[in-house]
Amino acid sequence: MNEYLVDNNDLLEDDTIFALSSGGSAAQATAVAIIRISGTQAPAILQSLTTPGTPLPKPRYAALRKLYYKEQPLDQALVLYFPGPHSFTGEDVVELHCHGSRAVVQGVLEAISDSSKLARYAEAGEFTQRAWRNGKMDVLQVEALADLLTADTNSQRLQALQQLEGKLSETYQSWREKLIAGLAHAEAVIDFGDDERFGDDDFENPEVGRRLQQESVWGGVIDQMQSLRKEMEVQLSDQRRGELVREGVRISILGPPNAGKSSLFNVLAQRDAAIVSDTPGTTRDVLELTLNLGGVKCILQDTAGVRTETDDTIEREGMKRAFAAASQADLIVSMIDSTDYQAGITILDRVLTECIHTVGADDDDYDDTGVADVSSLTPGSVLLVRNKYDLLSNGSSSSLYPATTDDLAGIFDISCVTQEGIDHFLDNLTSLVLSRVSGAATSSSFQSSGEGALITRARHRQHVTCAVDALKRFDFLSRQGTIAVDMAAEELRLAASELGRITGAVDVEDVLDKLFTDFCIGK
């Protein structure tokens, strides 16, 4: 539950609550404002705002009502009544669709507050909290609603809707039911199956004895658990598609000073987001902006120029931050100056070496320029962009293909000044982004690809990974004969518990505390 609700005895779970549920606030004028009331007093509050004797609207049908407060007219509104449990929260719910002026909204909220001492303003996320508490949503669906409310792109909207419909919950619940069935079999053997067990001394070949013990104790459970584990491992090997859609694909522009990184940053942003100067090293920190590429959220990063060496302390810090940003990136745009190609290739070789072939960094991993080794990427995550193509003589770039670029995602000649090659580069970057979130190359816009990603948050991935680890231990223990039945069963119990934490079947109060407080008031 929301921590505030637990600590404050004045806020009771059976209180009737109300809030402005449409966008904005009571201080902002809108065309229509929706005020939601939930709880046992909701019907009575509605009747107190209308003329005496006015009946409640037919459930789930809109009705036009004049609203009054102390015999003074407030507004003429559309009113809907949802009797519990057939409502969003599972309680009696009333919605008032009023005109959205500040005077109307504030007047209606004050009237509701005064009409019943049992009604109070809702806390952030409290309507959704009640929906979860009353079994209208599980934790995955609560997370999906939060994602839907903050969706910026088409892909985020589609993924959130799919999760909100319960498709992910059904898969996780199916997995958990298989684990519980296997656990029930194991517990039955533990409780009642002692007399049916074989001993190693019953067979001349101990290995045959253990195999028959295994078949006697577990039957087909081992094969079922192996199949289930493979299903989970397939989802874990999805290249973080769901998380990328939800959080955004991080794209870092990396390269030597004055290669045009900030110019490309501004071209893609379609505004002057970064300072551009002929003086090398103008950018010293990491700048970020959000792009929508093919319906997918992308976070584009402009970084400080990278040199082979420098004595400037601030520049060294900028270089360290540039490589740190690359370590967290999903794609790297390695940018070089076509007129100073060799210097650019030296930096590219360094990017390929440090960003692809190393696996992490600590305080001892910084070189003499203060740059740390960073997380591994694949060459297919790097795009080589050769800027200032307009300054080259015709055909002079045809031989500028170093051997180290064979496996890159692409090589592009552009000019940020004339815009030559920008469209071609952007089309290919968009296709690469789409391939990362869909698992295969797609067209120029995001399309739902069947079932979509099952894992959409790091929390899900952590619990599925723990469940797979438990099943691996089960697979080993289940082959040790009757001596390890209890321990093998415990691993099935642990795996089921991990999956239960994803949907909320097992205690997830700490997750919900954070989740509900992230909602806006009125949702």
Side-chain angles (χ1 to χ4, degrees), residues 377-394:
L377 294 164
T378 65
S381 302
V382 180
L383 300 92
L384 173 60
V385 174
R386 304 185 297 195
N387 188 32
K388 305 182 183 180
Y389 182 69
D390 55 308
L391 300 181
L392 296 177
S393 57
N394 292 334

Side-chain angles (χ1 to χ4, degrees), residues 146-217:
D147 291 344
L148 185 60
L149 293 175
T150 58
D152 293 319
T153 65
N154 187 42
S155 60
Q156 290 175 322
R157 174 182 60 83
L158 292 173
Q159 179 168 282
L161 282 172
Q162 184 179 63
Q163 186 172 334
L164 186 60
E165 291 171 358
K167 294 182 179 179
L168 272 66
S169 302
E170 291 173 2
T171 299
Y172 285 119
Q173 185 59 30
S174 172
W175 286 357
R176 188 165 183 265
E177 288 174 356
K178 291 177 183 178
L179 287 167
I180 292 174
L183 179 60
H185 177 93
E187 291 179 339
V189 170
I190 293 170
D191 292 339
F192 309 111
D194 289 343
D195 294 339
E196 300 178 5
R197 298 182 183 181
F198 299 99
D200 290 344
D201 295 338
D202 295 336
F203 301 91
E204 293 182 4
N205 188 333
E207 183 61 34
V208 173
R210 281 192 293 271
R211 180 173 55 79
L212 290 177
Q213 284 179 346
Q214 173 185 318
E215 294 175 355
S216 173
V217 172

